[in-house]
Short mmCIF file of all heavy atoms in Angstrom, two decimals:
data_model
loop_
_atom_site.label_atom_id
_atom_site.label_comp_id
_atom_site.label_asym_id
_atom_site.label_seq_id
_atom_site.Cartn_x
_atom_site.Cartn_y
_atom_site.Cartn_z
N HIS A 108 -7.11 -38.02 27.31
CA HIS A 108 -7.58 -39.32 27.80
C HIS A 108 -8.94 -39.66 27.21
O HIS A 108 -9.73 -38.79 26.85
CB HIS A 108 -7.59 -39.37 29.33
CG HIS A 108 -8.60 -38.49 29.99
ND1 HIS A 108 -9.87 -38.93 30.31
CD2 HIS A 108 -8.54 -37.21 30.41
CE1 HIS A 108 -10.53 -37.96 30.91
NE2 HIS A 108 -9.75 -36.89 30.97
N ASP A 110 -10.91 -42.34 28.61
CA ASP A 110 -11.78 -42.99 29.58
C ASP A 110 -12.65 -41.91 30.22
O ASP A 110 -12.24 -40.75 30.29
CB ASP A 110 -10.96 -43.71 30.66
CG ASP A 110 -10.04 -42.76 31.44
OD1 ASP A 110 -9.43 -41.88 30.81
OD2 ASP A 110 -9.95 -42.89 32.68
N SER A 111 -13.84 -42.27 30.63
CA SER A 111 -14.75 -41.31 31.26
C SER A 111 -15.44 -41.97 32.45
O SER A 111 -15.55 -43.19 32.51
CB SER A 111 -15.82 -40.86 30.25
OG SER A 111 -15.22 -40.18 29.17
N PRO A 112 -15.92 -41.15 33.39
CA PRO A 112 -16.60 -41.72 34.56
C PRO A 112 -17.81 -42.56 34.13
O PRO A 112 -18.48 -42.24 33.16
CB PRO A 112 -17.06 -40.47 35.32
CG PRO A 112 -16.09 -39.41 34.92
CD PRO A 112 -15.78 -39.69 33.48
N GLY A 137 -14.57 -39.99 39.26
CA GLY A 137 -15.28 -39.13 40.21
C GLY A 137 -16.68 -38.82 39.72
O GLY A 137 -16.88 -37.96 38.87
N ASP A 268 -15.71 -35.19 28.60
CA ASP A 268 -14.45 -35.25 29.33
C ASP A 268 -13.94 -36.69 29.20
O ASP A 268 -14.42 -37.56 29.91
CB ASP A 268 -14.64 -34.86 30.80
CG ASP A 268 -13.39 -35.03 31.64
OD1 ASP A 268 -12.32 -35.28 31.06
OD2 ASP A 268 -13.48 -34.93 32.87
N ASP A 269 -13.00 -37.00 28.24
CA ASP A 269 -12.25 -36.03 27.52
C ASP A 269 -12.19 -36.30 26.04
O ASP A 269 -11.21 -35.95 25.39
CB ASP A 269 -10.83 -35.92 28.07
CG ASP A 269 -10.54 -34.46 28.38
OD1 ASP A 269 -10.71 -33.65 27.48
OD2 ASP A 269 -10.20 -34.18 29.53
N GLU A 298 -7.12 -42.05 33.13
CA GLU A 298 -6.91 -40.73 33.71
C GLU A 298 -7.90 -40.48 34.84
O GLU A 298 -7.57 -39.87 35.86
CB GLU A 298 -7.04 -39.64 32.63
CG GLU A 298 -6.53 -38.27 33.07
CD GLU A 298 -7.56 -37.43 33.84
OE1 GLU A 298 -8.76 -37.76 33.83
OE2 GLU A 298 -7.16 -36.44 34.46
N GLU A 299 -9.13 -40.94 34.65
CA GLU A 299 -10.18 -40.64 35.63
C GLU A 299 -9.96 -41.35 36.97
O GLU A 299 -10.63 -41.06 37.95
CB GLU A 299 -11.55 -40.98 35.07
CG GLU A 299 -11.98 -40.08 33.90
CD GLU A 299 -12.11 -38.61 34.27
OE1 GLU A 299 -11.93 -38.26 35.45
OE2 GLU A 299 -12.40 -37.81 33.36
N ASP A 341 -6.88 -31.39 27.99
CA ASP A 341 -7.88 -31.77 28.99
C ASP A 341 -8.83 -30.60 29.24
O ASP A 341 -8.49 -29.45 29.03
CB ASP A 341 -7.20 -32.20 30.30
CG ASP A 341 -8.02 -33.24 31.04
OD1 ASP A 341 -9.26 -33.16 31.01
OD2 ASP A 341 -7.42 -34.14 31.65
N VAL A 342 -10.02 -30.94 29.70
CA VAL A 342 -11.06 -29.94 29.89
C VAL A 342 -10.81 -29.10 31.14
O VAL A 342 -10.03 -29.47 32.01
CB VAL A 342 -12.44 -30.63 30.03
CG1 VAL A 342 -12.81 -31.32 28.74
CG2 VAL A 342 -12.44 -31.61 31.20
N GLY A 416 -6.87 -32.83 38.79
CA GLY A 416 -5.59 -33.00 38.09
C GLY A 416 -5.80 -33.55 36.71
O GLY A 416 -6.90 -33.94 36.34
N MET A 439 -19.39 -31.16 34.25
CA MET A 439 -18.32 -32.14 34.05
C MET A 439 -18.53 -33.38 34.94
O MET A 439 -18.91 -33.25 36.09
CB MET A 439 -16.97 -31.50 34.37
CG MET A 439 -15.77 -32.30 33.90
SD MET A 439 -14.24 -31.78 34.71
CE MET A 439 -14.08 -30.11 34.11
N HIS A 440 -18.30 -34.54 34.34
CA HIS A 440 -18.43 -35.86 34.99
C HIS A 440 -19.88 -36.29 35.20
O HIS A 440 -20.12 -37.34 35.80
CB HIS A 440 -17.67 -35.93 36.33
CG HIS A 440 -16.19 -36.05 36.14
ND1 HIS A 440 -15.37 -36.63 37.07
CD2 HIS A 440 -15.38 -35.67 35.13
CE1 HIS A 440 -14.12 -36.59 36.64
NE2 HIS A 440 -14.10 -36.01 35.46
N GLU A 444 -22.87 -34.08 29.61
CA GLU A 444 -22.04 -32.89 29.79
C GLU A 444 -22.24 -31.92 28.62
O GLU A 444 -22.55 -32.35 27.51
CB GLU A 444 -20.56 -33.29 29.82
CG GLU A 444 -20.22 -34.31 30.90
CD GLU A 444 -18.80 -34.87 30.77
OE1 GLU A 444 -18.44 -35.35 29.67
OE2 GLU A 444 -18.05 -34.83 31.75
MN1 MN B 2 -12.34 -35.94 34.25
#
Side-chain angles (χ1 to χ4, degrees):
H108 68 91
D110 60 318
S111 297
D268 175 9
D269 232 306
E298 193 276 345
E299 293 298 357
D341 211 324
V342 295
M439 193 197 296
H440 285 206
E444 303 170 307

